[in-house]
Amino acid sequence: MFSTKTIIKRECAKDRKISIAIMSPFFVLMAQFFVLYYFNIINTNMGQMVQLLSKATVGLFFIYSFLTVFKRNGLIFIFIYCGFATIFLLNFLFFQQNAPYLKATLFSFFFMCLPCFVYSFSINNLLVFKSIMKKTGTIVFFIGAMTAFLAITNRISLGPYSMSLSYYMLLPVIVHMNNFFVKRSIESGLITTIAVFIIFALGSRGAILCIGIYVILYFMTQSGKNSVKNWVFKLSVFFTLFFSVFFLKEIFTFLNKILMKYNIHSRTIALFLRDKVHLSGREVIYSTIVDQIKAHPLMGIGLAGDRLYTGGTYSHNIFLEIISGFGIIVGIIILLFLGCITIRSLFLKNKTRANLMLMWFCIGFVPLIVSGSYLTSFQFWIFLGLITRFSVTKEQKCLPANY
């Protein structure tokens, strides 16, 4: 017979193995991004080889921990894959016009998204998972910072801006901002500041939206201890945010002048300085999808059907994508279910769990409000796996959060 301590250590080791697999795409994609731009091999045969190698590397991480996951949730694994395979087959049958776009999503969905869902659903110890998150976020930060430095010094070219870089840097920002809020870590505060600066200088507005929502929801849901020190910290953050919003234009103008001295033309700051909100053509896409929802209210236009009507791109909005794909009735039911378990996860009694759910809400869900597709976003499926595991499943069936 094994002692309780030995069993717990073994379970922790299994959770660590699963957590590394889940977080591997973040590190691998950031490393791939650096290699492609550093050697300037994007859209070349060598670049395609690097991307293929990246997929194989992530696959190895998932294969390494597959048996552990299957032993924990083998029936769920089979049920999930059979269920979604059926949904895709029905869409191939009834929405044949979407076939090219469905085929284009098959690999990402079945070999990245669904594994991320089942693997994250198989996590028992969230503190082990959070530890791997922090380590991954730190590694991603250093690779991203090195990439940004080379771009700022004109040693590599990322173009006018890089949406990919900004969303890659979202993980280290959220992870270290959380560490700064919880532990008042100066190191995490510095990493957060640098990463946010990189997003402003070289990235897109979507990541800034995610960060802003995280800060707001953190102080709404994470009450913390009612100590004088905690209240002073909260008030300091509140007044800093208040005056930042009040003098937002002046701050952006000042930052823009500094960046211009180094010949850095920040698209994000330029768009924020406009008098009107600029949606970068999304308003046309939204209008097109809304028209299709009106034209096909019951059955919808099928999975990936938005690509057919938007010239190969996606809806850039998860609500429109789900409603247009499944029809109004089924789409709203899906969104209501998703909304209920999300809200429940953000207000769990266990603040450690609620805090982690909030982090993944801002990493996996919020980006899909303005960009991306839930059919290809593995971050969304990690979020979905976690909130399903810790919101729908009774908490007492999980191992203690801090053993």
Side-chain angles (χ1 to χ4, degrees):
M1 294 292 293
F2 296 106
S3 66
T4 303
K5 189 174 182 179
T6 302
I7 294 173
I8 289 174
K9 283 184 177 180
R10 289 189 174 186
E11 290 301 311
C12 281
K14 292 177 182 178
D15 280 319
R16 191 173 293 109
K17 185 189 294 187
I18 297 171
S19 299
I20 291 172
I22 294 170
M23 298 308 299
S24 64
F26 291 92
F27 160 71
V28 172
L29 285 173
M30 185 72 257
Q32 172 189 281
F33 183 87
F34 174 79
V35 170
L36 290 176
Y37 279 94
Y38 183 79
F39 293 102
N40 194 25
I41 54 175
I42 301 174
N43 299 323
T44 65
N45 291 334
M46 183 62 71
Q48 292 176 358
M49 288 294 294
V50 170
Q51 291 174 324
L52 186 61
L53 179 62
S54 297
K55 292 176 181 177
T57 302
V58 173
L60 289 175
F61 279 109
F62 278 102
I63 291 171
Y64 178 66
S65 55
F66 175 76
L67 287 179
T68 303
V69 172
F70 198 79
K71 286 179 181 178
R72 285 186 176 181
N73 291 301
L75 289 177
I76 292 175
F77 192 97
I78 295 171
F79 175 78
I80 290 294
Y81 267 84
C82 289
F84 279 104
T86 301
I87 291 173
F88 266 75
L89 286 173
L90 289 174
N91 273 267
F92 272 111
L93 179 63
F94 292 105
F95 300 96
Q96 296 180 12
Q97 68 275 16
N98 299 340
Y101 306 108
L102 285 169
K103 291 177 182 177
T105 65
L106 282 177
F107 181 86
S108 294
F109 188 78
F110 284 96
F111 292 94
M112 284 290 291
C113 295
L114 288 191
C116 282
F117 173 80
V118 179
Y119 278 52
S120 57
F121 185 85
S122 301
I123 292 291
N124 285 334
N125 190 327
L126 285 181
L127 291 187
V128 171
F129 179 58
K130 190 174 181 180
S131 173
I132 300 299
M133 270 182 65
K134 184 181 178 183
K135 291 176 182 177
T136 306
T138 302
I139 294 171
V140 169
F141 166 75
F142 281 111
I143 300 175
M146 183 166 55
T147 305
F149 174 77
L150 293 174
I152 291 172
T153 55
N154 295 316
R155 298 183 185 182
I156 63 174
S157 175
L158 300 180
Y161 76 106
S162 175
M163 182 181 293
S164 297
L165 178 62
S166 60
Y167 281 116
Y168 292 156
M169 295 300 285
L170 184 59
L171 174 69
V173 169
I174 298 296
V175 167
H176 283 282
M177 183 176 284
N178 172 75
N179 200 47
F180 175 69
F181 287 158
V182 174
K183 298 182 178 179
R184 313 292 190 261
S185 168
I186 296 176
E187 177 187 345
S188 288
L190 181 61
I191 289 176
T192 300
T193 303
I194 295 172
V196 171
F197 172 79
I198 291 171
I199 293 173
F200 267 112
L202 304 171
S204 61
R205 293 169 295 169
I208 299 299
L209 172 67
C210 299
I211 296 167
I213 290 177
Y214 173 75
V215 173
I216 294 170
L217 290 180
Y218 177 86
F219 286 100
M220 285 178 61
T221 60
Q222 303 290 315
S223 56
K225 297 179 181 179
N226 291 321
S227 63
V228 174
K229 185 178 179 181
N230 193 42
W231 275 107
V232 169
F233 177 75
K234 284 186 175 182
L235 288 173
S236 299
V237 174
F238 172 78
F239 282 112
T240 300
L241 292 173
F242 176 80
F243 285 109
S244 295
V245 172
F246 192 78
F247 296 103
L248 195 61
K249 189 170 184 177
E250 289 77 6
I251 292 172
F252 281 144
T253 302
F254 175 72
L255 288 174
N256 200 40
K257 287 181 180 179
I258 294 176
L259 292 173
M260 290 294 285
K261 287 182 180 180
Y262 295 94
N263 199 32
I264 302 172
H265 302 275
S266 172
R267 176 181 179 271
T268 297
I269 293 178
L271 291 175
F272 275 126
L273 287 173
R274 289 189 176 189
D275 293 330
K276 296 181 178 180
V277 177
H278 181 66
L279 297 178
S280 303
R282 285 178 174 81
E283 65 275 13
V284 177
I285 295 174
Y286 295 159
S287 177
T288 301
I289 298 304
V290 169
D291 288 342
Q292 291 305 317
I293 292 173
K294 292 177 180 177
H296 308 86
L298 295 179
M299 295 293 293
I301 55 178
L303 292 182
D306 51 348
R307 279 77 161 168
L308 180 65
Y309 299 97
T310 57
T313 186
Y314 34 76
S315 301
H316 287 82
N317 182 280
I318 186 171
F319 304 111
L320 291 179
E321 186 175 6
I322 289 176
I323 292 175
S324 66
F326 291 94
I328 293 177
I329 297 175
V330 176
I332 289 178
I333 291 173
I334 293 172
L335 290 175
L336 285 175
F337 174 75
L338 183 58
C340 288
I341 62 173
T342 297
I343 293 172
R344 176 180 168 80
S345 71
L346 297 181
F347 291 93
L348 290 170
K349 291 180 180 180
N350 187 313
K351 291 301 178 183
T352 300
R353 288 174 178 159
N355 188 20
L356 193 63
M357 299 306 115
L358 172 60
M359 294 168 69
W360 278 100
F361 173 71
C362 295
I363 294 171
F365 184 85
V366 177
L368 296 181
I369 297 175
V370 293
S371 187
S373 167
Y374 75 92
L375 292 174
T376 56
S377 172
F378 67 89
Q379 298 94 327
F380 169 74
W381 291 90
I382 295 173
F383 163 69
L384 193 59
L386 290 172
I387 64 171
T388 304
R389 173 72 171 95
F390 294 97
S391 297
V392 177
T393 305
K394 293 181 180 180
E395 285 196 55
Q396 59 264 31
K397 290 187 178 180
C398 309
L399 292 174
N402 53 358
Y403 58 72

